[in-house]
Amino acid sequence: MSVVLLTGAGISTAAGIPDFRGPDGVWTRDPEAERTSTLSWYLGDAGVRRRAWQMRLESRVWEREPTRAHRAIAAFAAAGHDTTIITQNIDGLHQAAGSRSADVLEVHGTARSWRCEDCRATGPMSEAAARVRGGDPDPACPDCGGIIRAQTILFEEALDAQVLDAAFAAAEACDVLIAVGTGLSVYPVAGLVPLAAEHGARTLILNAEPTPFDGLADEVLDGDLQERLPAVLDELATGSIRGV
Ligand code: NAD
Ligand code: ZN
């Protein structure tokens, strides 16, 4: 049995990292914050970059601890179940929970490191954040003075084709796909749910709010995914979920 976990920001809210579009989401509370995730705004407006740095300091993804749900996924794979994690998250918490890097497809990149737009230099985000805390609100590349940014995929940028191909292949081949903590509103990742279903996978959605694919899924569980996911993985491990 092969299992794909498709995870979104909701799996990390219990780690203290707010989601974007949930009821208390960053963009729900302040729609202008979305500009910090848009390439042309980020490159063209120093005010947007300063805002982006402040948001990075607030979320401090490099200091966060994985949640119970992240650990449950890592334990499920460690028990020998064929597991692929396709995550929209940029916080690195699956790997922090012990999931093997080779099993984690970070389709939106990672905020644990930065990259220079000009010379492609990279470094740990914790170091750049320390410069912001030290009084530099928009730190420049230490090598060339260029604009530095998180190693995430911004709006107006293409996803990494290799990562995406691997995600599509995993969704087509899996026996079970579980979407966890995502509103399934961002493409192409959201399209992995119907793709898996078309290829015969059993699909489960665990999210506090409705998603566009609830009607298509075999099972939809609302409530707190931190409670629900470990129980679902236990059921899968013991073979008590029908149809797999
Ligand atoms: P989203 O903000 O669109 O949706 C998150 C969903 O999770 C919401 O529907 C919310 O109701 C639900 N949720 C939150 N906590 C929950 C809980 N404890 N139990 C059950 N459901 C819960 O997130 P998304 O679909 O992942 O898309 C947002 C984009 O923003 C992603 O592409 C991602 O790259 C980025 N993002 C990442 C992080 C992160 O890395 N932790 C945080 C914010 C945004
Ligand atoms: Zn540079």
Side-chain angles (χ1 to χ4, degrees):
M1 174 184 66
S2 64
V3 179
V4 164
L5 277 304
L6 174 58
T7 67
I11 196 173
S12 296
T13 49
I17 306 172
D19 58 25
F20 284 165
R21 301 183 182 83
D24 199 30
V26 175
W27 297 346
T28 310
R29 285 184 279 127
D30 176 9
E32 290 218 334
E34 199 166 339
R35 289 182 179 168
T36 60
S37 296
T38 307
L39 182 66
S40 52
W41 277 104
Y42 189 86
L43 296 182
D45 188 327
V48 169
R49 285 199 298 281
R50 285 196 290 271
R51 178 86 194 270
W53 282 109
Q54 286 309 317
M55 286 168 65
R56 286 175 198 134
L57 284 192
E58 279 161 29
S59 65
R60 294 196 314 280
V61 295
W62 55 90
E63 285 175 9
R64 301 294 180 176
E65 296 290 331
T67 69
R68 182 178 168 204
H70 290 98
R71 292 187 207 281
I73 294 171
F76 181 76
H81 301 287
D82 177 354
T83 308
T84 303
I85 300 162
I86 302 172
T87 188
Q88 301 174 89
N89 294 344
I90 55 177
D91 53 33
L93 289 182
H94 286 295
Q95 297 91 323
S99 287
R100 297 187 322 148
S101 293
D103 294 340
V104 184
L105 299 171
E106 292 178 307
V107 287
H108 293 161
T110 178
R112 289 199 173 221
S113 54
W114 59 264
R115 177 178 84 231
C116 173
E117 268 299 291
D118 293 336
C119 75
R120 305 274 134 178
T122 61
M125 190 59 89
S126 54
E127 284 178 20
R131 289 170 62 196
V132 180
R133 262 196 303 269
D136 185 352
D138 178 22
C141 173
D143 291 352
C144 78
I147 292 175
I148 65 172
R149 39 94 44 99
Q151 297 248 50
T152 51
I153 311 279
L154 300 176
F155 289 121
E156 304 172 348
E157 286 186 305
L159 303 189
D160 182 307
Q162 263 185 328
V163 176
L164 206 54
D165 284 351
F168 276 96
E172 285 179 8
C174 70
D175 300 305
V176 181
L177 180 141
I178 311 175
V180 194
T182 168
L184 293 174
S185 63
V186 181
Y187 281 81
V189 170
L192 295 172
V193 176
L195 182 72
E198 279 161 27
H199 283 78
R202 186 172 170 79
T203 54
L204 287 76
I205 295 177
L206 277 60
N207 201 58
E209 295 176 290
T211 82
F213 296 108
D214 288 0
L216 171 151
D218 293 299
E219 198 172 343
V220 178
L221 297 172
D222 57 11
D224 186 1
L225 70 86
Q226 296 292 339
E227 301 292 325
R228 299 273 195 225
L229 182 65
V232 165
L233 292 176
D234 275 352
E235 286 171 24
L236 268 180
T238 56
S240 55
I241 287 190
R242 275 177 302 124
V244 294

